Amino acid sequence: LCINALSLCVSLFRLKDLELAKLGDSDVRIKMLAAPINPADINMIQGTYPILSPLPAIGGNEGVGEVLEVGQCVAALKPGDRVIPASTGLGTWRTEGVFPEETLLKVPGDIPLLSAATLSVNPCTAYRMLTDFQSLAPGDSVIQNAANSGVGQAVIQIAKAFGIKTINVVRDRPDLPKLVERLMALGADHVITEEMLRKPEMKDLFKSIPKPRLALNCVGGKSTTEMLRHLQPKGTMVTYGGMAKQPVMVPVSAFIFRDVQLRGFWMTQWRKDHAQDQESLAGMMDALCQLIRRGQLSAPACTEVPLQDYKAALEASMKPFTSSKQILLL
């Protein structure tokens, strides 16, 4: 069934030459440079995402491009500028495109290409979850599952820059020692398996690190329930994904006796809610770019794939235990 679903997903795509739309007064023509394949992109292909583009559609919600030409009413962008999508559904798996100015965000030209290509989704999600739900201070701790995901890697690095400790939960796998080594190199304080969450040894871990006030959940199911047990009273668990496709089960005692909060987060909704709050958006992007410049936030582990090999990239992005993000070079 999984193989059939994967084959069906890949078979829905074709490389096709399209005529570019005419450049309007408020439009920008860009050459796309690089665009990742994210889980949300796959969900959109499968028809399970809350936002679905009318078919036929161009895939991809994230990426970086270079401005080639601007309409006569465009003031904030000029040829040579680098831009990323300001919202979901732009269709970034293409070589060129014409877009309204308001659908694009300018990014500094001095940050690495892969960092720019992967900036608008995972690092933004990590930044918002670390800053919007609990007032964390240096020395506090956060626990997260799917720690090897793009968001997970960004959480580790941003938390490290903020002086916040991270407890990072991953699934057991054949190359576990290599994964642990890579996450520790990013700044992780502890990397544990889902099985360890349920073991008495967790008490020893909390002798050297405070219990977390914030839990970040991208999985669901049993690992989430076990992760929740380690939250401090009045702690918050934020769910932003459901990789296990299983519900979040919470003991009643967690609500009554520890007053934990369960929240959800979706970066697309945050952008909609803050569409008129350019200061918040600019502040976040500036903070992330500063971290990138200082070497405190790098792109996730990436595999660069030429656009013509998109089928191999789609297949690789859907395989289990994938820790490398597929990036289409355009």
Side-chain angles (χ1 to χ4, degrees):
L1 178 63
C2 290
I3 293 173
N4 289 341
L6 190 155
S7 300
L8 176 62
C9 185
V10 174
S11 70
L12 292 172
F13 273 85
R14 299 282 187 278
L15 269 183
K16 191 172 182 181
D17 289 324
L18 299 174
E19 188 175 339
L20 276 180
K22 184 180 177 183
L23 187 74
D25 290 346
S26 300
D27 290 339
V28 180
R29 181 165 70 94
I30 69 169
K31 170 182 169 52
M32 289 302 301
L33 302 173
I37 299 175
N38 288 316
D41 301 323
I42 301 299
N43 294 153
M44 288 180 78
I45 297 166
Q46 295 168 331
T48 59
Y49 202 65
I51 294 176
L52 299 176
S53 301
L55 297 175
I58 297 174
N61 293 291
E62 188 179 32
V64 62
E66 180 182 334
V67 175
L68 297 178
E69 187 181 3
V70 300
Q72 60 183 9
C73 295
V74 173
L77 297 171
K78 64 184 186 304
D81 286 344
R82 281 192 175 176
V83 291
I84 61 176
S87 57
T88 303
L90 205 62
T92 55
W93 299 347
R94 65 171 94 200
T95 55
E96 282 192 32
V98 173
F99 307 102
E101 180 184 16
E102 67 268 16
T103 65
L104 302 169
L105 287 175
K106 182 179 176 180
V107 292
D110 64 344
I111 66 172
L113 181 70
L114 293 184
S115 292
T118 56
L119 178 59
S120 64
V121 177
N122 294 337
C124 291
T125 298
Y127 184 88
R128 295 261 60 98
M129 291 194 300
L130 286 171
T131 56
D132 289 357
F133 295 94
Q134 284 278 343
S135 297
L136 299 174
D140 284 340
S141 75
V142 172
I143 189 169
Q144 65 165 341
N145 53 26
N148 59 305
S149 67
V151 171
Q153 293 176 58
V155 165
I156 290 169
Q157 295 175 84
I158 297 170
K160 178 78 171 179
F162 290 172
I164 297 165
K165 308 290 186 182
T166 56
I167 303 161
N168 302 279
V169 185
V170 297
R171 288 182 293 172
D172 199 3
R173 63 194 65 212
D175 64 342
L176 181 63
K178 194 176 293 185
L179 175 60
V180 171
E181 183 181 349
R182 187 157 62 79
L183 296 183
M184 295 294 282
L186 287 178
D189 293 283
H190 298 277
V191 181
I192 62 175
T193 63
E194 292 181 341
E195 289 73 22
M196 188 179 167
L197 276 173
R198 307 177 184 104
K199 292 184 177 178
E201 287 88 331
M202 288 297 291
K203 290 182 180 178
D204 294 329
L205 186 150
F206 291 121
K207 290 176 182 176
S208 61
I209 188 172
K211 283 202 167 188
R213 295 171 53 198
L214 180 67
L216 306 177
N217 168 45
C218 185
V219 179
K222 288 182 180 178
S223 84
T224 302
T225 305
E226 295 299 331
M227 190 169 67
L228 186 72
R229 294 184 194 279
H230 300 297
L231 264 186
Q232 283 191 31
K234 297 187 182 298
T236 302
M237 185 172 78
V238 182
T239 293
Y240 68 98
M243 289 167 54
K245 294 182 170 56
Q246 295 172 356
V248 173
M249 306 290 284
V250 183
V252 171
S253 60
F255 288 123
I256 298 174
F257 302 119
R258 291 194 293 121
D259 193 20
V260 299
Q261 296 185 61
L262 300 190
R263 301 287 301 276
F265 183 77
W266 185 29
M267 193 65 220
T268 298
Q269 189 63 50
W270 186 93
R271 290 186 187 279
K272 287 182 182 177
D273 293 344
H274 294 78
Q276 307 306 316
D277 183 9
Q278 290 303 306
E279 193 173 322
S280 290
L281 179 59
M284 173 176 66
M285 300 307 289
D286 183 60
L288 292 171
C289 288
Q290 291 286 2
L291 291 175
I292 292 169
R293 286 194 190 98
R294 292 199 294 260
Q296 294 177 299
L297 177 62
S298 58
C302 292
T303 301
E304 300 173 48
V305 184
L307 178 59
Q308 59 265 30
D309 296 333
Y310 71 93
K311 289 185 178 180
L314 281 169
E315 288 172 357
S317 71
M318 297 175 69
K319 288 179 180 175
F321 302 121
T322 300
S323 294
S324 183
K325 189 180 289 291
Q326 303 294 305
I327 305 283
L328 297 173
L329 297 181
L330 309 163

